[in-house]
Amino acid sequence: MSSPYRALPTDVRPMDGAAQWQIMQDGWASFMLEDDTAARYWDRMVDELPAFQFGLYESDTLIAHGYSVPVAWDGGDLPDRGWAWGLEAALTGKDAGITPNTLCAISITIARSHQGQGISHQVIAAMRDLARQHGFRQLIAPVRPNLKSRYPLTPMERYVTWKHTDGVAPFDPWLRAHWRAGARIVKVAPQSMRVPGTIAQWEAWSGLRLPESGDYIVPGALVPVPVDVERDCAVYVEPNVWMLHPVRAE
């Protein structure tokens, strides 16, 4: 039986902007859209690397999207900057004429209407297929565990060791989805995303009053957010988890 879903790169079928943005807004806490590396490189990624961005469609309805970038990786230690490194390395490498050899995931987001229906496996498979189609033998992913925000005081290094009820698979559903697709956890990327802002900005993003300096538990954040009222700033630094997918050649 053929799949009811089609993954189409944006150089073949551009995504509807309104539908794409609605999926993004529904899927991410507002502060997640304010990463400082994304501010520099996201638009360039979309405009200059359309073959590596794709929509997943059910009939003609956009139900998920995946963003990825080609990078040069020597197979050594993956960078602590994780997500930010991937985005930056792809565009600066492109500028420098460096030949990429690896696909790096940037984001996978599923429409709220289709969450909990196994779509994540479809999108991960589509991204692996994209790596294969471009001749890459590896897909690296700085994964954002989707239940970690419920345990913000637990260090990521411990969180990734937690197991599912079967005692084997990772506890976190998003880590588990990648694991079941054939990926393995490589390491924690402790400085994967960085979101700076003023106190007023963070109050708007979090829905909290931040009346004094200290660490705050912010809805959707994976770790506490350190707030400095005297300097009128808060800088959220998010850890992610590097996972490695081997990709079979066609």
Side-chain angles (χ1 to χ4, degrees):
M1 181 182 297
S2 62
S3 171
Y5 309 110
R6 293 180 302 153
L8 298 174
T10 57
D11 61 345
V12 173
R13 177 173 177 172
M15 283 185 275
D16 175 81
Q20 181 273 342
W21 183 237
Q22 189 63 56
I23 290 173
M24 190 73 77
Q25 285 184 305
D26 288 346
W28 299 94
S30 59
F31 66 84
M32 292 295 297
L33 306 177
E34 306 294 337
D35 175 84
D36 56 0
T37 302
R40 293 195 297 275
Y41 294 109
W42 187 275
D43 288 345
R44 283 193 60 195
M45 174 189 71
V46 172
D47 293 341
E48 298 178 27
L49 300 169
F52 298 96
Q53 330 310 328
F54 64 91
L56 187 73
Y57 295 86
E58 184 177 45
S59 297
D60 285 328
T61 301
L62 181 67
I63 62 169
H65 46 65
Y67 290 85
S68 62
V69 291
V71 297
W73 176 47
D74 63 6
D77 191 37
L78 284 162
D80 286 349
R81 289 181 62 236
W83 188 92
W85 169 83
L87 193 55
E88 183 176 79
L91 275 304
T92 58
K94 179 177 180 293
D95 292 342
I98 296 172
T99 301
N101 61 1
T102 301
L103 192 64
C104 179
I106 293 298
S107 75
I108 288 175
T109 315
I110 299 164
R112 185 175 292 169
S113 60
H114 284 71
Q115 292 176 4
Q117 299 180 29
I119 303 300
S120 60
H121 302 288
Q122 301 286 337
V123 190
I124 292 171
M127 194 169 284
R128 288 169 62 103
D129 286 344
L130 193 64
R132 184 180 300 109
Q133 291 162 16
H134 285 273
F136 299 141
R137 301 296 298 274
Q138 298 174 118
L139 166 66
I140 53 176
V143 179
R144 186 177 199 265
N146 60 1
L147 289 191
K148 179 63 172 70
S149 61
R150 299 184 185 181
Y151 307 93
L153 300 180
T154 301
M156 186 69 87
E157 289 78 5
R158 289 217 314 270
Y159 183 81
V160 299
T161 68
W162 293 2
K163 300 301 181 185
H164 189 43
T165 53
D166 63 9
V168 179
F171 163 82
D172 186 87
W174 196 218
L175 295 178
R176 193 162 63 246
H178 282 268
W179 181 82
R180 286 179 172 162
R184 64 178 177 87
I185 294 173
V186 177
K187 61 174 283 189
V188 171
Q191 302 160 21
S192 196
M193 301 186 78
R194 182 179 181 275
V195 182
T198 65
I199 302 303
Q201 286 175 316
W202 270 102
E203 287 185 337
W205 297 335
S206 67
L208 301 174
R209 281 291 317 283
L210 305 172
E212 63 179 39
S213 297
D215 291 344
Y216 286 78
I217 304 300
V218 170
L222 306 193
V223 294
V225 178
V227 170
D228 188 330
V229 171
E230 290 71 25
R231 295 186 178 183
D232 188 28
C233 71
V235 181
Y236 172 64
V237 179
E238 179 174 288
N240 290 162
V241 181
W242 276 118
M243 298 191 74
L244 172 63
H245 289 261
V247 176
R248 293 180 182 176
E250 289 188 309

